[in-house]
Amino acid sequence: MDSDSRPRVFATRSLPGGALEALTGELELEVWPGPGAPAPEVLARAVAGAAGLLCLLTDRVDAPLLASCPELRVVSSCSVGVDHVDLAVATRRGIPVGHTPGVLTETTADLAFSLLMAAARRIPEADRFVREGHWTPARSWEPDLMLGRDVYGSTLGVIGLGAIGRAVARRAQGFGMRVLGWNRTPGKAPPGVEQVPLDALLRQSAFVSVHVARTDETIGLLGPRELAFLPSGAVLVNTARGGIVDEVALVEALRSGRLAGAGLDVYEQEPLPPDSPLLAAPGLVLAPHIGSASVATRTRMAELSIANLRAGLAGERLPHCANPEVYDAHSEEGQRARKSRGETTRAPR
Ligand code: GLV
């Protein structure tokens, strides 16, 4: 293929398993070498003139960035969440945005359950106790050493009954738990899950796991008022998105001993700033946003994001599109945008 005719694509990071290598012949591919995400101005420079952007959830694909790349035909994010992409602007511009739903459901549910159990049974604290040499002959087995909370047979409240929330509920059923569920738009409850109002869920759950998307309605969903409903000694887990649980209120509830523990994989600010009060909160298990981080799942996510990218560059419908309304051939905004770029009036298929 004549190299000049190859579409230009910028990838903001290499993907696991050398997934991008297969693309080098067919694309003029530039891969940000890292470490970390490119700074916004670097991203804007790199993507100007590109036909495709392969990005991660750490890259802000906002209105100014989209305005600076008139040639862009597809954004493919190697993530299920797309709250880092301005979907409304992309749709107006007629740009389909790809994401990777489905493949990370079980892996993220595994992590939520791991955090729940680690917080309930104080695993990080126990690990430190052994490593730091506190497990001495004088303290070889003590009746009150590291007493935690029973998971088996207790009650779990699942906030958000989408795919991941349901997968966590299934795990809980294997642990003989009573499972309560709450969803912003109440629908048919999954088998074995009692759907209840949010306040009732919080009042009755010894464990709560958060699985709603971050939207204007869910930011601060669990603030001081809601955390105060939790029974004394409860454990809260959030693997969804930062900002849904009020971090100041969470630290306060842990410090006061009202919550026995918590597990977080997501934060208001990522990475967590070194002076974050979360770092000193008792009973809190922290993970660095690794919900989907298994070899198999990240490999599958890389494959899906490449399939989305290829389809978008070929003008075909993305296998997994986060803004399917972009394909609405009757969208006047989409048609105007395509016309202004000198394209035919046909929406991307
Ligand atoms: C992870 O948080 C994702 O959205 O893929």
Side-chain angles (χ1 to χ4, degrees):
M1 188 188 280
D2 170 24
S3 74
D4 290 337
S5 68
R6 292 178 307 169
R8 251 197 73 200
V9 169
F10 182 67
T12 63
R13 222 72 55 77
S14 188
L15 296 181
L20 294 183
E21 276 152 27
L23 293 174
T24 43
E26 64 190 90
L27 304 176
E28 190 188 329
L29 180 66
E30 186 187 347
V31 183
W32 174 250
E41 58 284 3
V42 175
L43 178 59
R45 258 198 316 275
V47 87
L53 170 63
L54 191 55
C55 64
L56 304 182
L57 46 78
T58 40
D59 306 306
R60 290 221 64 73
V61 185
D62 53 13
L65 180 80
L66 289 166
S68 70
C69 34
E71 313 294 325
L72 200 61
R73 299 207 298 266
V74 58
V75 173
S76 174
S77 184
C78 189
S79 64
V80 65
V82 283
D83 43 337
H84 55 298
V85 181
D86 192 326
L87 284 187
V89 171
T91 304
R92 277 204 295 280
R93 284 271 314 276
I95 300 172
V97 177
H99 67 148
T100 64
V103 294
L104 47 69
T105 301
E106 302 297 339
T107 305
T108 306
D110 280 351
L111 184 81
F113 222 80
S114 309
L115 288 175
L116 185 153
M117 296 201 63
R121 296 301 302 272
R122 303 169 60 174
I123 301 298
E125 201 184 328
D127 179 89
R128 280 195 302 274
F129 184 83
V130 175
R131 285 175 201 285
E132 290 171 5
H134 304 294
W135 197 31
T136 57
R139 304 186 71 183
S140 82
W141 193 92
E142 293 184 72
D144 59 354
L145 181 64
M146 305 257 158
L147 302 188
R149 310 282 303 177
D150 275 328
V151 173
Y152 190 87
S154 68
T155 299
L156 171 70
V158 178
I159 298 185
L161 292 171
I164 299 173
R166 286 167 187 246
V168 169
R170 287 195 299 276
R171 283 158 179 73
Q173 286 158 357
F175 276 73
M177 297 177 98
R178 175 182 176 216
V179 185
L180 305 178
W182 175 83
N183 209 41
R184 270 196 318 127
T185 43
K188 197 165 168 296
V193 176
E194 296 165 51
Q195 231 171 147
V196 294
L198 183 57
D199 289 3
L201 178 148
L202 293 168
R203 287 183 206 278
Q204 295 178 54
S205 299
F207 295 90
V208 168
S209 194
V210 179
H211 301 286
V212 285
R214 179 171 62 196
T215 66
D216 290 346
E217 290 78 43
T218 61
I219 289 176
L221 183 71
L222 299 185
R225 172 185 169 277
E226 289 73 23
L227 295 187
F229 289 149
L230 286 168
S232 178
V235 170
L236 175 71
V237 170
N238 183 11
T239 53
R241 279 291 184 268
I244 297 167
V245 176
D246 179 327
E247 291 181 357
V248 173
L250 178 63
V251 168
E252 183 41 43
L254 288 165
R255 275 199 192 134
S256 70
R258 265 204 359 86
L259 286 192
L264 295 179
D265 186 44
V266 290
Y267 307 88
E268 282 166 17
Q269 191 183 331
E270 296 182 13
L272 198 58
D275 60 351
S276 169
L278 289 171
L279 291 166
L284 180 55
V285 184
L286 302 168
H289 203 145
I290 53 166
S292 62
S294 75
V295 175
T297 291
R298 287 284 168 85
T299 303
R300 196 73 194 102
M301 288 169 72
E303 287 165 3
L304 287 194
S305 51
I306 287 173
N308 282 330
L309 178 75
R310 279 196 171 117
L313 292 173
E316 288 162 9
R317 197 177 181 103
L318 308 197
H320 299 283
C321 186
N323 59 339
E325 58 281 10
V326 77
Y327 296 112
D328 177 2
H330 304 295
S331 153
E332 287 182 12
E333 280 166 328
Q335 292 203 18
R336 259 201 310 278
R338 284 187 290 280
K339 252 189 193 156
S340 75
R341 298 203 303 271
E343 295 172 15
T344 62
T345 55
R346 191 168 51 87
R349 279 164 297 134

